[in-house]
Amino acid sequence: MRSMNSKNFRNPALIKKIVNNIHQLADKPVNIMEVCGTHTMAIAQYGIRELLPPSIKLISGPGCPVCVTPAEIIDEIIEISLKTDTIIASFGDMIRVPGSRTTLEKMRSEGSDVRIIYSPLELLGLARDNPGKNIVFAGIGFETTSPLAAAVVTRAKKENIKNLFIVPAFKTVPPALRLIADNRSLRLNAFLLPGHVSVIIGSYPYEFLSKEFGLTGVISGFEPVDILYSIYLILKQIKTNRPKIEIQYSRTIKPEGNTKAQKLLDEVFEKSASEWRAIGNIPGSGLIFRKDYNAFSSRSKFNIKINKPKEPKNCLCGKILMGLKTPEECPLFGKQCTPQKAIGPCMVSSEGTCAAYYKYI
Amino acid sequence: MCLAIPGKIIKIDKNTAVVDFGGIKKESALDLLSDAKIGDYVLVHAGFAISKIDKDDALETLKLLNEIDEFKKLPESGTNKKNRK
Ligand code: SF4
């Protein structure tokens, strides 16, 4: 669908026009969950909630990969970082997240070799340049990021690189949405679906939301005009009572997604159940290495047993990730828990719901 | 974490493209695209091009990266200060 080829995604006049249209359409309460952490940030940053009529409620969802990574995964990586012959490679936002005891950042200051990388491509150079060391990558992220790891692993296999390992903690978004759609207490009407995850997976994997649950879904871009126009499309669908999955972010997304990336993902990984921090186990929501690539799994190299740690006391992160609570309902929010001294994962990651609320509200 | 940035491919050497992000040039891997050409606009996530972009929209997005404050000057009408939850 070519929904909108706007000339200006931040044009105030255009924004005003869409906002007016939203106000006209909003004649009953509508609950919309924005799934993606980058949307949560954009909504807070641009003050989108303030532009909407009170009947439209935007609820933040589970789309912050760092927030939903269990503390035991971080503990596992920290344990590996204690080995002298390893280099831990991670995206920057991950190294500040506390496991049950400490963070990768602290481990680095205590002498562990922890490197921040911008791209998984750097793993190949690290592996080539450090033949005596094991390079271990924290494989954290959604479908936007996992194909990159799959590409790197296939390259490493061709090059016969033997000292590169990935901690398999990638997650997939649609199974988490099923869990949320199934939770009637949310009274959800629609999802604002993630833009960059959908670049890879397309719109088909979300169709169960409308077919099985009667929910509306619009895949949105990240500019104010994108988000507001997506909300307008949601309201229009609700008005006509024809729930379906629509693509507003059509300048980058095809309904079938990026099929080359999907093939690569499928070659390297297979689906498995996966634990989401503070939410629980979600069937089919994780990716583990297929047999042919299992030599690249950190679990095939290091035998580390971690006990499931307790979540921080009084932290509502799990309920917030499910859309059941807002940060303001957490008694620690903005008091004991701030981005400088974060207690739960929703405050540590810059795109966590608590961090987004703290920064912009 | 799922941030991706639009840019224009100005050079291709085998599996690697040089992508121009509004003046800043960086290498991006093309492993995930099958038909990228010089002149194409692509969305890049962590060093990999993950999709092609409609050209008109890409230019627009690039231009807008410099206009972030524009939205803050919005007129107040039609807004609802209380609806913050
Ligand atoms: S404010 Fe802190 S303690 Fe409260 S839910 Fe958010 S992350 Fe947890």
Side-chain angles (χ1 to χ4, degrees):
Chain A
M1 182 198 120
R2 307 296 307 165
S3 56
M4 181 175 200
N5 218 349
S6 152
K7 282 285 148 214
N8 193 337
F9 295 100
R10 289 180 189 171
N11 178 333
L14 190 53
I15 287 167
K16 203 164 172 229
K17 200 168 132 196
I18 305 170
V19 168
N20 284 342
N21 277 293
I22 289 175
H23 277 258
Q24 270 167 29
L25 274 176
D27 53 2
K28 60 179 176 193
V30 173
N31 292 331
I32 304 171
M33 175 176 278
E34 92 269 2
V35 173
C36 166
T38 316
H39 277 148
T40 299
M41 288 231 301
I43 287 165
Q45 180 181 358
Y46 299 122
I48 298 229
R49 279 190 181 81
E50 297 170 33
L51 299 174
L52 299 175
S55 59
I56 300 179
K57 201 167 149 201
L58 291 179
I59 303 165
S60 304
C64 158
V66 169
C67 305
V68 297
T69 299
E72 53 265 39
I73 296 282
I74 297 159
D75 287 353
E76 181 181 341
I77 300 168
I78 284 168
E79 203 61 38
I80 298 173
S81 80
L82 288 168
K83 299 182 189 296
T84 47
D85 56 349
T86 53
I87 299 174
I88 304 288
S90 165
F91 291 132
D93 45 359
M94 197 59 215
I95 73 159
R96 288 178 48 231
V97 183
S100 65
R101 295 179 290 118
T102 181
T103 65
L104 282 167
E105 196 173 41
K106 288 206 190 97
M107 294 307 291
R108 184 170 64 178
S109 67
E110 286 166 22
S112 287
D113 195 346
V114 178
R115 316 250 180 122
I116 294 176
I117 59 171
Y118 153 75
S119 169
L121 263 188
E122 293 165 53
L123 296 170
L124 296 170
L126 276 174
R128 281 185 221 114
D129 297 346
N130 299 279
K133 299 237 175 186
N134 294 316
I135 315 302
V136 179
F137 177 59
I140 284 153
F142 294 140
E143 291 95 325
T144 323
T145 311
S146 47
L148 282 55
V152 164
V153 162
T154 49
R155 283 203 200 189
K157 194 172 186 194
K158 269 188 211 126
E159 280 190 43
N160 208 16
I161 288 176
K162 299 247 191 290
N163 59 334
L164 172 61
F165 305 93
I166 295 181
V167 181
F170 291 116
K171 297 195 189 306
T172 59
V173 169
L177 300 189
R178 176 176 287 280
L179 189 79
I180 289 164
D182 221 7
N183 189 330
R184 296 286 154 184
S185 64
L186 271 173
R187 292 175 210 280
L188 215 57
N189 304 96
F191 282 104
L192 192 77
L193 293 165
H196 294 144
V197 162
S198 309
V199 162
I200 305 295
I201 69 174
S203 62
Y204 302 142
Y206 304 113
E207 293 213 321
F208 72 94
L209 292 171
S210 48
K211 291 195 176 127
E212 291 178 41
F213 296 95
L215 293 170
T216 291
V218 175
I219 300 173
S220 175
F222 297 92
E223 297 293 339
V225 164
D226 289 323
I227 295 172
L228 286 165
Y229 189 62
S230 297
I231 292 169
Y232 168 79
L233 290 173
I234 286 172
L235 295 183
K236 262 184 77 177
Q237 275 198 40
I238 289 174
K239 189 120 201 146
T240 52
N241 204 10
R242 269 194 232 118
K244 62 177 182 200
I245 307 301
E246 248 180 290
I247 304 175
Q248 179 277 330
Y249 197 29
S250 54
R251 59 190 183 273
T252 61
I253 296 175
K254 295 195 219 83
E256 70 275 18
N258 180 338
T259 49
K260 192 170 181 196
Q262 290 165 19
K263 267 197 204 117
L264 209 54
L265 255 187
D266 188 52
E267 168 161 347
V268 175
F269 296 108
E270 60 186 311
K271 292 203 170 112
S272 79
S274 178
E275 192 71 21
W276 292 54
R277 184 166 192 170
I279 293 178
N281 195 284
I282 306 182
S285 70
L287 298 175
I288 54 169
F289 282 94
R290 285 191 190 278
K291 228 163 88 223
D292 284 356
Y293 291 91
N294 201 37
F296 292 100
S297 171
S298 64
R299 306 242 165 100
S300 74
K301 176 75 181 172
F302 309 100
N303 188 14
I304 288 167
K305 291 267 169 292
I306 300 283
N307 293 329
K308 195 173 158 55
K310 283 202 187 75
E311 285 302 327
K313 230 177 133 198
N314 296 331
C315 169
L316 298 182
C317 211
K319 293 214 162 75
I320 290 172
L321 289 164
M322 289 285 289
L324 295 164
K325 294 266 183 228
T326 63
E328 286 131 327
E329 290 174 77
C330 171
L332 308 178
F333 176 72
K335 297 185 185 102
Q336 289 95 327
C337 187
T338 63
Q340 287 71 38
K341 218 176 155 292
I343 290 176
C346 298
M347 189 62 97
V348 180
S349 167
S350 61
E351 55 183 34
T353 307
C354 296
Y357 271 61
Y358 186 84
K359 188 159 176 204
Y360 296 110
I361 294 187
Chain B
M1 187 178 228
C2 296
L3 272 184
I5 300 165
K8 183 183 183 181
I9 296 183
I10 52 173
K11 216 169 110 185
I12 294 182
D13 183 14
K14 288 182 208 134
N15 218 4
T16 305
V18 176
V19 179
D20 182 349
F21 301 96
I24 299 164
K25 297 180 184 70
K26 275 194 132 176
E27 285 191 349
S28 301
L30 295 175
D31 301 42
L32 305 176
L33 293 185
S34 43
D35 54 350
K37 303 183 299 297
I38 289 172
D40 281 348
Y41 284 82
V42 286
L43 204 54
V44 175
H45 168 61
F48 283 78
I50 57 170
S51 88
K52 294 218 273 182
I53 316 176
D54 185 291
K55 193 168 156 186
D56 294 340
D57 279 319
L59 273 176
E60 197 54 39
T61 311
L62 281 177
K63 206 182 97 213
L64 291 171
L65 285 175
N66 300 318
E67 292 175 21
I68 289 173
D69 284 341
E70 197 66 34
F71 188 76
K72 301 237 164 81
K73 295 180 208 134
L74 260 189
E76 282 285 300
S77 65
T79 63
N80 169 41
K81 282 266 165 203
K82 274 180 251 120
N83 184 30
R84 286 179 152 240
K85 286 234 172 112

